[in-house]
Amino acid sequence: MTNQNPTHETALAFRALHIPGRPLVLPNAWDTASARLVEEAGAAAVATTSAGLAWDLGTADGDRLDRDRALGAVARVAAAVRVPVSADIESGYAKDAAGVGDTIRAVLAAGAVGVNIEDALYGREGGGGEGDDGEDAGDGGRGPLRPVAEQAERIAGARAAADAAGVPLFINARIDTVLRGAGGVEETLERAAAFLAAGADGIFVPGVVDPGTVKSLVAGVEGPLNVLAGPGAPSVAELAALGVARISTGSSIAQAAHAVVRRAARELLSAGTYDSLTGGLDYVELNTLLGGAR
């Protein structure tokens, strides 16, 4: 009998978008307005950026948000668009695997059908790090990454919670070996194998843009590979030719948007001019798009 649960069907549709050589391209969003604009631009799905989302909520990135605030924002994004939504849940907003399972149940309740779960460790006083963005963070003296077995257990907890809910949630396991200088291709592939065996569906390795390294990861990872792209990275077409299955932009769009705010404010308050505001979206167009029914 076919499962008619719309969340189940949406999750299957999102899963099917991960095709090596024909990558899912994700201009990451952080609030309802950015999500609607990404959807309107033609994106097949919307993925949140934990950094952009945290900044929007007045918090630094890097496991600083609590589950309720983070997933409240994800729920608003999911309610604002028609396409599938993947939530960057950083390290899972939980201390252990059981807690990660609780987070996954909340993710599904929020309307998302995919998650990113990272293996980085953050200290209480550490700096920011991004679940889908590639920003580094302090380790608080605990070491840069969770032990493989511990992270695999957390991923297994996420998988079990999704399976129990009957939703084929796409779990994208982020590996920060390269980003944090904790290992190269060999260490990354070791972690990838363990995380896929634990129930992950895809592997995300931020910090890798060298074509040779990307090609080695594509060949060595037994699942869809996600890379982080931005200025200086190979084009979407070039990454597709290497066999990448998912390309995300992380916090870079949010950073660019906030740069416009600062540049315009500084110009207005210093020179008293308005050149930084040139090129803004038309008011009526934006008001119609964002004020219209979903």
Side-chain angles (χ1 to χ4, degrees):
M1 181 176 179
T2 303
N3 191 321
Q4 297 300 317
N5 182 337
T7 301
H8 182 277
E9 299 306 314
T10 302
L12 287 178
F14 180 65
R15 179 180 294 273
L17 295 172
H18 295 77
I19 304 171
R22 291 174 52 195
L24 169 62
V25 181
L26 297 169
N28 295 80
W30 61 94
D31 61 7
T32 57
S34 59
R36 289 287 289 273
L37 287 166
V38 166
E39 180 185 41
E40 187 267 345
V46 169
T48 62
T49 153
S50 70
L53 192 150
W55 299 333
D56 186 57
L57 295 176
T59 304
D61 187 33
D63 274 353
R64 306 293 185 94
L65 275 178
D66 63 87
R67 180 192 294 152
D68 289 345
R69 292 184 71 206
L71 296 184
V74 170
R76 290 190 291 275
V77 167
V81 298
R82 294 184 176 89
V83 296
V85 171
S86 181
D88 182 343
I89 60 171
E90 304 189 63
S91 296
Y93 304 124
K95 293 182 179 180
D96 55 24
V100 173
D102 292 337
T103 297
I104 295 303
R105 285 182 278 275
V107 165
L108 297 176
V113 294
V115 292
N116 275 17
I117 303 177
E118 63 189 82
D119 62 355
L121 277 170
Y122 300 102
R124 293 288 183 182
E125 306 301 326
E130 164 61 276
D132 200 2
D133 294 5
E135 299 299 320
D136 204 356
D139 59 30
R142 298 184 63 198
L145 305 180
R146 292 184 188 275
V148 174
E150 179 185 344
Q151 183 66 6
E153 183 179 0
R154 294 169 71 86
I155 290 171
R159 178 83 280 149
D163 289 349
V167 178
L169 180 80
F170 191 96
I171 299 175
N172 202 30
R174 172 174 147 171
I175 300 175
D176 276 0
T177 43
V178 176
L179 189 64
R180 287 180 160 230
V185 170
E186 182 178 347
E187 291 80 6
T188 302
L189 293 178
E190 176 187 346
R191 283 179 170 263
F195 299 163
L196 289 168
D201 299 289
I203 298 296
F204 175 39
V205 187
V208 173
V209 293
D210 171 69
T213 304
V214 171
K215 189 173 182 178
S216 295
L217 291 174
V218 168
V221 171
E222 296 294 329
L225 180 70
N226 179 190
V227 299
L228 182 73
S235 68
V236 168
E238 291 170 322
L239 291 170
L242 294 171
V244 170
R246 176 167 166 168
I247 300 169
S248 48
T249 55
S251 62
S252 58
I253 296 177
Q255 289 173 249
H258 297 321
V260 172
V261 175
R262 183 166 72 175
R263 187 162 57 247
R266 287 180 173 178
E267 180 189 357
L268 178 62
L269 295 171
S270 58
T273 53
Y274 325 101
D275 292 343
S276 298
L277 300 177
T278 302
L281 289 174
D282 178 76
Y283 173 85
V284 173
E285 178 187 3
L286 192 58
N287 199 49
T288 300
L289 173 66
L290 301 182
R294 175 180 178 274

